[in-house]
Amino acid sequence: MDQRVVIDVSRTVSRLHLPAATGIDRVEAAYIRRVLENHPGSFALAKLGREYLFCDLETFFRESHKNFDGAQIGLIDKVRLKLTRDQRKVKSSLRRSIGWTDRARLCLKLRSEISKNDIYINVGHSRMSKEVQVCLNTIGCKSWFMVHDVIPLTHPEMVRVDIPPRFKEFINSISDIADRVIFNSQASQIAAKGLFSNTKELVAHLGVDGPFQRGVNSKHPFFLTVGTIEPRKNHNLLLDIWKHGKDEKGNRLPKLVIVGQDGWAEKAVFEKIEELQKIGRVDHIRDADDALLLSLYSECTALLFPSLAEGYGLPLMEAIEIGKPVIASDIPVFRELLGPNAPLLSPQDIEAWKSALLYPEKFQHEPRPWTWDQHFELVGL
């Protein structure tokens, strides 16, 4: 029998109601596509609240690409107030087309459908219940997990206060049952040193969807930054520069376009963005689909990436593949991705960033991104 995959799509299901995908969402989508192409007969497994979805992956892929805007919320889901209205629409729609089950029935299905030759893969930082994981292990199904970063443990001050203990529980659950842990960068693996003692570890850089056409600057120049609005993305540095509106030579700065959903941050950050929007120095796009994001990459003067901490940096690699300069912070993962001699800036040095905006062409990098085929070949999928 060909090796089949049980891919955890919990993150995808929980975010189907959103118009734009984050980096981890896109990685999970890439894995779903790969499994569909190379592992026929595979399955989708998801946990949302106390219920579970389990079906063949082709059915899940088809149903998850429907338009949920007009979906009706069924009676069962009307009372699930912990979910947003849009999440309840998605769940009701999937309930009608696929069905949801409880843990006991799920384990019966797993025992009848899954064999020891199969692999459970979780790349979404989604925590499956311990009972289901024990069921998979009892069957003999191997378990692979991807760790995108361990920022909640290494930089707890950069995440919401409730995240570090929950993330620690997630890491502990992986260390107990994982047969393989995939890291997206060597920097992430080094940061996680000591967390996984008896698990095979593997580093595989993320792929970049392409090929891309080379970008052409817009007639109306602008700088671009991409990332959820949260402290570790360091939007404050850029907002402080654009607050003055002029570069070191006294010339008016081109507009700053911020692409990113509202995460968690001090109220002052959002107030700065609103203030600068009102006077036309900043645009904030919360929900950019792939087509719009590609257009912004193609037309921007340069991508700005002043992060204080990252596990990888897909926007950085995508902009470079399109041929755009990338002005990025000097942190371990960017040094790894761009090479030891790449021009990088301290994320705290505002004067260095002001100077860099005058000469973005100095931050042109040679394309170095991996393809998804290279990633999956190394992973063995």
Side-chain angles (χ1 to χ4, degrees):
M1 180 185 294
D2 291 335
Q3 188 176 58
R4 298 173 304 171
V5 172
V6 181
I7 186 162
D8 193 312
V9 296
S10 301
R11 183 181 181 94
T12 297
V13 169
S14 70
R15 299 177 63 80
L16 282 174
H17 64 291
L18 299 175
T22 66
I24 297 180
D25 302 341
R26 290 157 69 192
V27 173
E28 190 162 289
Y31 266 74
I32 290 171
R33 291 194 300 270
R34 179 69 173 199
V35 173
L36 278 171
E37 292 168 1
N38 284 25
H39 297 268
S42 291
F43 301 93
L45 173 62
K47 181 177 185 291
L48 190 59
R50 296 181 179 180
E51 292 185 300
Y52 301 84
L53 173 152
F54 180 68
C55 66
D56 67 275
L57 188 57
E58 289 185 0
T59 297
F60 172 76
F61 186 80
R62 181 181 67 249
E63 296 299 323
S64 65
H65 281 71
K66 289 184 175 180
N67 185 341
F68 297 103
D69 289 345
Q72 298 298 311
I73 300 176
L75 182 61
I76 294 175
D77 296 302
K78 281 184 178 179
V79 298
R80 301 187 186 281
L81 300 181
K82 288 187 177 180
L83 302 179
T84 68
R85 181 175 177 81
D86 285 340
Q87 282 179 311
R88 284 181 281 157
K89 280 185 179 181
V90 169
K91 191 168 183 180
S92 284
S93 180
L94 294 180
R95 186 190 300 282
R96 283 189 288 270
S97 60
I98 297 175
W100 289 77
T101 187
D102 60 24
R103 189 171 62 223
R105 290 188 180 90
L106 171 66
C107 288
L108 288 174
K109 288 184 178 181
L110 291 174
R111 292 189 185 100
S112 66
E113 297 280 2
I114 306 304
S115 75
K116 64 180 181 180
N117 189 49
D118 299 330
I119 307 171
Y120 166 79
I121 299 180
N122 182 327
V123 298
H125 281 193
S126 303
R127 190 176 178 193
M128 185 54 64
S129 68
K130 183 177 180 180
E131 292 83 357
V132 173
Q133 196 65 62
V134 168
C135 179
L136 289 167
N137 289 358
T138 302
I139 294 167
C141 181
K142 301 297 183 185
S143 294
W144 296 1
F145 292 84
M146 179 177 286
V147 173
H148 295 265
D149 63 70
V150 289
I151 290 170
L153 304 182
T154 58
H155 299 79
E157 73 283 0
M158 294 186 189
V159 298
R160 296 195 316 265
V161 294
D162 61 313
I163 296 296
R166 287 165 48 195
F167 189 78
K168 181 63 174 175
E169 289 180 3
F170 169 70
I171 292 296
N172 287 343
S173 69
I174 294 176
S175 64
D176 289 340
I177 49 86
D179 297 285
R180 174 180 293 181
V181 173
I182 304 163
F183 292 97
N184 55 7
S185 66
Q186 193 172 47
S188 291
Q189 184 186 37
I190 291 171
K193 186 177 181 180
L195 294 178
F196 307 103
S197 54
N198 299 311
T199 303
K200 181 180 179 181
E201 297 182 4
L202 176 71
V203 174
H205 286 175
L206 302 179
V208 172
D209 291 321
F212 296 128
Q213 291 184 343
R214 304 293 283 182
V216 178
N217 287 349
S218 169
K219 295 179 180 179
H220 304 284
F222 65 93
F223 286 97
L224 176 67
T225 189
V226 179
T228 302
I229 312 298
E230 58 185 3
R232 71 181 178 90
K233 297 294 186 179
N234 202 20
H235 289 89
N236 248 330
L237 179 139
L238 301 179
L239 295 173
D240 286 345
I241 293 174
W242 261 265
K243 181 178 179 180
H244 297 287
K246 294 183 179 181
D247 62 26
E248 287 187 330
K249 293 184 176 181
N251 300 313
R252 183 180 178 182
L253 281 171
K255 184 173 285 188
L256 173 65
V257 176
I258 300 172
V259 174
Q261 298 171 7
D262 291 352
W264 78 282
E266 294 181 4
K267 184 180 178 182
V269 175
F270 296 108
E271 289 177 347
K272 285 182 183 179
I273 292 174
E274 290 177 6
E275 177 186 342
L276 293 174
Q277 278 185 292
K278 288 177 182 177
I279 58 177
R281 295 179 187 173
V282 167
D283 280 344
H284 180 199
I285 303 172
R286 287 176 171 80
D287 299 310
D289 60 21
D290 288 346
L292 175 56
L293 188 57
L294 180 60
S295 174
L296 292 169
Y297 282 144
S298 298
E299 296 181 7
C300 71
T301 300
L303 178 75
L304 308 181
F305 219 141
S307 293
L308 299 167
E310 290 285 350
Y312 197 70
L314 271 177
L316 175 146
M317 303 306 283
E318 289 168 340
I320 290 173
E321 181 70 0
I322 289 174
K324 289 297 177 170
V326 175
I327 306 174
S329 53
D330 192 356
I331 57 177
V333 69
F334 292 168
R335 185 66 62 191
E336 174 186 342
L337 295 177
L338 299 181
N341 300 317
L344 296 172
L345 306 177
S346 165
Q348 285 90 16
D349 190 345
I350 191 169
E351 296 304 321
W353 283 81
K354 286 180 181 178
S355 297
L357 297 176
L358 291 171
Y359 309 104
E361 66 277 4
K362 292 184 178 181
F363 296 84
Q364 193 81 47
H365 305 275
E366 287 298 317
R368 298 168 60 95
W370 278 32
T371 65
W372 278 115
D373 281 344
Q374 288 174 306
H375 173 92
F376 289 123
E377 183 176 347
L378 182 57
V379 169
L381 188 63

